């Protein structure tokens, strides 16, 4: 597997500087997974550009479904009222489709008082570097990706959010929360609120997190593989039973389990070749070290041949589930029994 390229956050950092300095530009494209940050900085731009109480006159919005170049031109031509700038926000319109020539004419002649932001939320931003529009954005605007944040930045953010709720949290427990609930801020913010309301002590504990946090599927399946690693079939079966009770589709569960088994195999290979956590993170494009460390620790409990056989069996069960019409739950239970069986080559 080819390592994922490190996300470029140059435009994101420049946006933060421009907002702080009050030098916000005229044309932006906002996209990326981290919608919490996107909405946060769009709010900051709104505060900077629009005087309080005058938003109704100086803030204009369009959705992709109602977008029309003529409507956009009318908004651009609308002079600000008791303000130096106007803010136009266009949500979920693919600028590389539709009337591109008309859009280029509007964007090429934006007045200084206009700040126009195209926001990609429900649709994916796919740039076409060969087009005039891409060149115009490069020269006159800024394409800002809001990427998932790195582990250290997220730990700091989680700590600040808990402090705002009059709690604190240790670094390892913050990493555990990210592993359990995912590393997107929009998901974490609600979990932090629940945990903050539940925790009795000033210091948030792992028990507080486990009591009320809603784990993501990957984390629950990891609990199952952890139980397999510990030779605890009853625990592994209990986790799988809970997932069935939650009506998770067997094919979806197998996909997550198969991915984790492949990651476990990669971790075992890394150990065999005396490579560390950083190597595993690079191979799987992981931004955070915590799940990689858990994989490396789990891999120490299995031999290379066990991991290889587990990968093969996951692939065979996947094929059977898709092609034979066999009961998916029965196939998964059978696979779990095979994986949890005390193998001769288990370390």
């Amino acid at each position: 597997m080819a390592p994922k390229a490190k996300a470029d956050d140059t435009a994101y950092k420049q946006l933060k500087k421009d907002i702080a300095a009050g030098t916000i530009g005229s044309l932006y494209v906002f996209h990326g997974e981290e919608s919490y940050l996107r909405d946060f900085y769009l709010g900051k731009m709104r505060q900077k550009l629009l005087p309080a109480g005058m938003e109704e006159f100086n803030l204009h919005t369009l959705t992709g479904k109602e977008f029309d170049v003529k409507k956009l031109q009318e908004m651009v031509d609308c002079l600000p009222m008791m303000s130096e700038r106007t803010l136009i926000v266009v949500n979920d319109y693919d600028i590389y489709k539709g009337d591109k020539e008309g859009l280029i004419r509007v964007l090429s002649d934006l007045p200084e008082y206009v700040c126009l932001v195209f926001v990609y939320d429900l649709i994916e931003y796919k740039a076409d570097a060969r087009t005039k529009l891409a060149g115009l954005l490069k020269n006159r605007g800024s394409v800002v990706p809001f990427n998932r944040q790195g582990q250290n930045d997220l730990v700091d953010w989680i700590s600040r959010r808990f402090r705002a709720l009059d709690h604190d949290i240790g670094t390892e427990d913050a990493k555990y929360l990210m592993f359990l609930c995912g590393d997107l801020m929009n998901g974490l913010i609600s979990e932090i609120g629940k945990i903050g309301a539940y925790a009795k002590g000033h210091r948030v504990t792992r028990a507080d997190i486990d009591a009320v946090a809603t784990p993501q599927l990957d984390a629950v399946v990891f609990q199952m593989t952890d139980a397999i690693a510990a030779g605890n079939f009853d625990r592994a079966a209990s986790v799988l039973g809970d997932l069935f009770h939650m009506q998770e589709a067997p094919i979806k569960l197998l996909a997550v389990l198969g991915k984790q088994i492949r990651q476990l195999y990669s971790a075992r290979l890394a150990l065999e070749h005396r490579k560390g956590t950083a190597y595993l993170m690079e191979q799987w494009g992981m931004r955070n070290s915590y799940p990689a460390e858990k994989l490396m620790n789990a891999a120490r409990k299995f031999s290379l041949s066990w991991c290889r056989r587990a990968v093969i069996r996951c692939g065979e069960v996947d094929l059977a589930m898709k092609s034979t019409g066999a009961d998916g739950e029965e196939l998964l239970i059978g696979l779990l029994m095979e994986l949890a069986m005390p193998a001769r080559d288990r370390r």
Side-chain angles (χ1 to χ4, degrees), residues 26-88:
S26 296
L27 177 60
Y28 293 92
V29 173
F30 285 0
H31 69 100
E33 293 179 288
E34 195 47 88
S35 58
Y36 175 90
L37 282 178
R38 181 200 69 213
D39 294 343
F40 177 81
Y41 284 108
L42 189 59
K44 287 287 187 183
M45 293 172 69
R46 178 173 172 170
Q47 291 175 6
K48 282 280 187 178
L49 294 173
L50 308 179
M54 299 304 295
E55 295 91 344
E56 181 180 351
F57 303 100
N58 299 309
L59 174 63
H60 311 287
T61 60
L62 267 177
T63 65
K65 290 182 179 179
E66 64 184 359
F67 182 87
D68 180 84
V69 171
K70 291 182 179 179
K71 288 182 180 179
L72 179 62
Q73 185 65 67
E74 289 173 1
M75 292 179 175
V76 168
D77 292 338
C78 188
L79 294 170
M81 181 177 293
M82 300 179 66
S83 172
E84 294 183 0
R85 306 285 301 272
T86 62
L87 175 61
I88 303 172

Side-chain angles (χ1 to χ4, degrees), residues 300-311:
R300 291 184 175 92
K301 301 175 183 177
F302 295 99
S303 71
L304 183 62
S305 59
W306 184 95
C307 293
R308 184 182 295 117
R309 178 61 182 164
V311 170

